[in-house]
Amino acid sequence: MDDEITLHPSCFITKYHHVQKSKMDEKRLKISQKIYALVLCSVVFTMVYNYSAWHISKLEHVPSFVFDFEKQIPFIPWSIIPYMTSGLFFCLVFFFCKTKEELYVLTKRILFVTLIAGTCFLLFPLKFSLNKPEINSSVLGIPFQFLKIFDSPFNQAPSLHIAYAFIFWSVFRNLKHGKIFLMIWLILLGISTLTTYQHHLMDVLTGAALAHISFIIFPFRKNDFQYRNFQVANYYFLFSWVFLTITLLFYQFLQQSNSIFLWITLWIKLWITFSIALIGYQYQKNNVHFLKDKNGNIPVSKKIFYVPYLLIYWTFWKFLRKNKKPIEIVHNIYISSKPSKKDLIGFNVNKNTFVYDLSAEIEETKQLKENTRYHSLPFLDIGSFDIDETRKLVTEISNIYHNLPKDGKILIHCTMGFTRSSVIGILVMKNILSLSVEEAVTHMKNKNKNAIIHSYILDFLKKI
């Protein structure tokens, strides 16, 4: 899922292939390298954009795709101002990069979306179909005249204005000052593609999806565990854009029907789209309590709103988990997936049983919650671990172990039992048995054959 696709323009690779990882080298990013990246992306954009526009203009018939409700979108002349700033941001964004890796990733993303968009322009040519009103303002008329001469009604879907705006934000969001203003301006830039009558909504949706595909294929700091949440969030954002597009297509082709069932289906699809996007946002913020409260309970309102997400996780837990019964990794310390009542047969629990529930997306088995010393300390699935919270948790479990009553035991579990419980189990073993990270990992894999420990997790374990 995280495999990286590498572009190979020879002149680009010669300049950037040997990227040093040391902090000293990262500080040596030169202005000439930023200029080189700008020129390369500009040349590729100019060639791809102009050739596709010229090629499509020679076709006898070029179709359009417009949702019927788009005809209600107003034409707002002053919105040409944020629209035109896309070119300015394109020139400036390279100079806001602080490290070689950031510049390298930015360049690859821009080249990728430019080439993929150009391919889509040629394979699925579209043109803008609404009539643009006359501009009475002499000041605002100048940029519109510029667009009339140098822009074309073609090269519609996916919108490069939208794709670039998302990529610009991936750099600007790291600024210490002014990023709120830039975020608002980029939102206005995105809206302006519709209100200046330059793009249809389908172009916007596909442009946003293309940008998130570039984020997935070319992640920033791919092997840094602390950036893992951003990588997971991009999958959710991509799914939300795709699902929204499907929902609007559903509306477009069935809007003439007066069936209540169809309208209910439309609102359900919109609800699912919004919930998917919101989950992506929670991953970005590493909000481990977006579902569960501090006691491990999911409020009824959240159960209703996130029911598709919860059903998917329940299905995964029911049919795809492997280590169902608790596995003893150290005397009286066990790990597992979230056990069902059936899985607890033979695993005697009492008030001296300490349960550490690491699952963020599914509630605890009632038997464990009511009959043990239950602790809810959630981590997001396939996400990153907060270093301070992890150290605190491992220290707490280690201290409890050293003072464990004779009939006591400790159970550490997550939802599926693959990674989260294994990571905490490794760190606890390292503490208690005085092992190295490598020895603790080997010991865990011997005990839990289903443990999934990726290379970026190993880096995280060494930091702890």
Side-chain angles (χ1 to χ4, degrees):
M1 188 166 66
D2 292 326
D3 290 343
E4 182 172 339
I5 296 175
T6 306
L7 300 177
H8 294 286
S10 59
C11 58
F12 178 70
I13 294 299
T14 300
K15 192 78 176 181
Y16 286 94
H17 185 68
H18 299 290
V19 178
Q20 300 297 321
K21 294 183 179 180
S22 68
K23 292 183 179 180
M24 289 297 294
D25 186 73
E26 287 184 338
K27 295 178 181 179
R28 295 173 188 163
L29 183 58
K30 299 177 181 178
I31 190 71
S32 60
Q33 293 172 312
K34 298 179 180 181
I35 294 173
Y36 179 86
L38 169 60
V39 171
L40 174 63
C41 292
S42 299
V43 170
V44 172
F45 166 77
T46 302
M47 292 174 62
V48 170
Y49 191 88
N50 289 335
Y51 173 76
S52 57
W54 171 82
H55 176 80
I56 299 170
S57 68
K58 300 298 181 181
L59 301 178
E60 291 185 6
H61 174 69
V62 180
S64 298
F65 185 91
V66 55
F67 293 104
D68 290 341
F69 61 83
E70 285 188 68
K71 298 172 184 177
Q72 306 303 317
I73 296 177
F75 178 75
I76 305 176
W78 65 261
S79 62
I80 191 64
I81 298 173
Y83 182 86
M84 294 296 290
T85 57
S86 179
L88 177 63
F89 285 137
F90 189 99
C91 295
L92 292 178
V93 68
F94 297 93
F95 299 94
F96 282 90
C97 293
K98 298 177 181 179
T99 67
K100 284 186 177 181
E101 182 188 7
E102 188 175 17
L103 179 63
Y104 190 37
V105 171
L106 170 67
T107 306
K108 287 195 292 184
R109 287 173 175 176
I110 289 181
L111 289 174
F112 174 79
V113 300
T114 303
L115 293 171
I116 296 300
T119 302
C120 292
F121 297 156
L122 295 174
L123 295 178
F124 312 104
L126 293 171
K127 68 177 179 180
F128 190 80
S129 62
L130 301 180
N131 293 322
K132 192 174 298 183
E134 292 294 328
I135 308 300
N136 296 323
S137 170
S138 58
V139 176
L140 294 177
I142 295 174
F144 278 104
Q145 284 298 318
F146 176 85
L147 286 181
K148 189 174 182 180
I149 296 172
F150 295 100
D151 206 354
S152 73
F154 311 114
N155 294 352
Q156 291 292 294
S159 167
L160 282 174
H161 258 72
I162 297 297
Y164 288 158
F166 276 101
I167 294 174
F168 297 157
W169 175 243
S170 71
V171 174
F172 293 150
R173 69 183 308 278
N174 297 319
L175 298 178
K176 292 183 179 180
H177 306 289
K179 63 181 179 181
I180 299 299
F181 170 78
L182 289 171
M183 179 184 68
I184 295 172
W185 192 266
L186 287 172
I187 291 172
L188 290 175
L189 191 159
I191 295 173
S192 72
T193 60
L194 300 173
T195 57
T196 55
Y197 283 13
Q198 288 295 120
H199 282 282
H200 289 305
L201 184 58
M202 179 59 75
D203 314 338
V204 173
L205 297 173
T206 51
L210 178 59
H212 283 91
I213 291 173
S214 77
F215 296 156
I216 292 170
I217 295 177
F218 304 111
F220 180 59
R221 295 190 180 176
K222 176 181 177 180
N223 296 319
D224 188 336
F225 192 56
Q226 297 307 304
Y227 281 79
R228 179 67 181 169
N229 279 17
F230 288 91
Q231 297 167 25
V232 177
N234 283 323
Y235 282 95
Y236 281 104
F237 289 140
L238 175 60
F239 292 152
S240 69
W241 287 116
V242 171
F243 208 83
L244 177 58
T245 303
I246 294 172
T247 300
L248 293 178
L249 288 172
F250 174 86
Y251 169 79
Q252 176 74 5
F253 294 115
L254 298 176
Q255 63 178 313
Q256 301 302 324
S257 173
N258 293 320
S259 170
I260 296 178
F261 171 76
L262 292 174
W263 280 102
I264 292 175
T265 303
L266 173 65
W267 282 107
I268 290 175
K269 287 177 178 289
L270 289 173
W271 157 48
I272 294 174
T273 299
F274 179 67
S275 66
I276 293 173
L278 193 56
I279 292 168
Y281 174 78
Q282 305 294 358
Y283 262 87
Q284 267 198 352
K285 298 298 183 181
N286 195 29
N287 183 7
V288 297
H289 289 289
F290 83 95
L291 279 173
K292 285 184 172 182
D293 60 23
K294 297 295 178 65
N295 297 316
N297 300 315
I298 302 178
V300 175
S301 59
K302 291 185 178 181
K303 286 182 179 179
I304 295 173
F305 181 77
Y306 288 107
V307 66
Y309 179 74
L310 295 173
L311 282 175
I312 289 173
Y313 260 98
W314 181 88
T315 303
F316 286 166
W317 172 77
K318 186 71 175 177
F319 299 105
L320 299 180
R321 63 196 172 106
K322 299 294 183 181
N323 52 327
K324 300 179 182 180
K325 293 184 178 296
I327 300 169
E328 191 173 32
I329 58 172
V330 176
H331 181 59
N332 286 334
I333 299 181
Y334 300 79
I335 67 166
S336 71
S337 60
K338 187 188 89 70
S340 65
K341 186 176 181 180
K342 181 180 178 181
D343 300 328
L344 292 172
I345 296 176
F347 185 78
N348 298 322
V349 298
N350 54 45
K351 287 301 180 180
N352 287 327
T353 300
F354 294 81
V355 175
Y356 287 88
D357 176 10
L358 310 182
S359 169
E361 56 283 321
I362 191 168
E363 285 184 312
E364 182 61 278
T365 304
K366 186 176 181 181
Q367 181 181 351
L368 286 180
K369 199 167 187 180
E370 294 181 351
N371 300 321
T372 67
R373 299 191 189 186
Y374 172 76
H375 302 269
S376 176
L377 294 158
F379 295 93
L380 296 177
D381 191 18
I382 61 175
S384 61
F385 288 74
D386 181 272
I387 292 179
D388 292 334
E389 290 298 320
T390 301
R391 284 179 176 150
K392 181 180 177 182
L393 173 58
V394 171
T395 301
E396 179 181 329
I397 294 174
S398 300
N399 290 338
I400 287 175
Y401 178 77
H402 290 303
N403 297 283
L404 203 60
K406 290 183 178 180
D407 61 342
K409 62 180 71 172
I410 298 171
L411 172 62
I412 305 166
H413 79 77
C414 52
T415 302
M416 303 299 291
F418 296 136
T419 300
R420 287 172 285 184
S421 57
S422 296
V423 168
I424 299 302
I426 287 168
L427 292 171
V428 169
M429 284 193 298
K430 178 179 179 295
N431 261 18
I432 293 173
L433 302 178
S434 299
L435 302 175
S436 67
V437 169
E438 292 78 8
E439 290 171 334
V441 170
T442 301
H443 188 62
M444 174 58 71
K445 289 183 176 180
N446 289 334
K447 293 288 186 178
N448 178 15
K449 303 297 183 182
N450 299 300
I452 298 177
I453 309 296
H454 293 290
S455 58
Y456 54 80
I457 294 178
L458 287 174
D459 293 337
F460 166 73
L461 289 171
K462 290 176 182 177
K463 291 180 182 178
I464 297 293

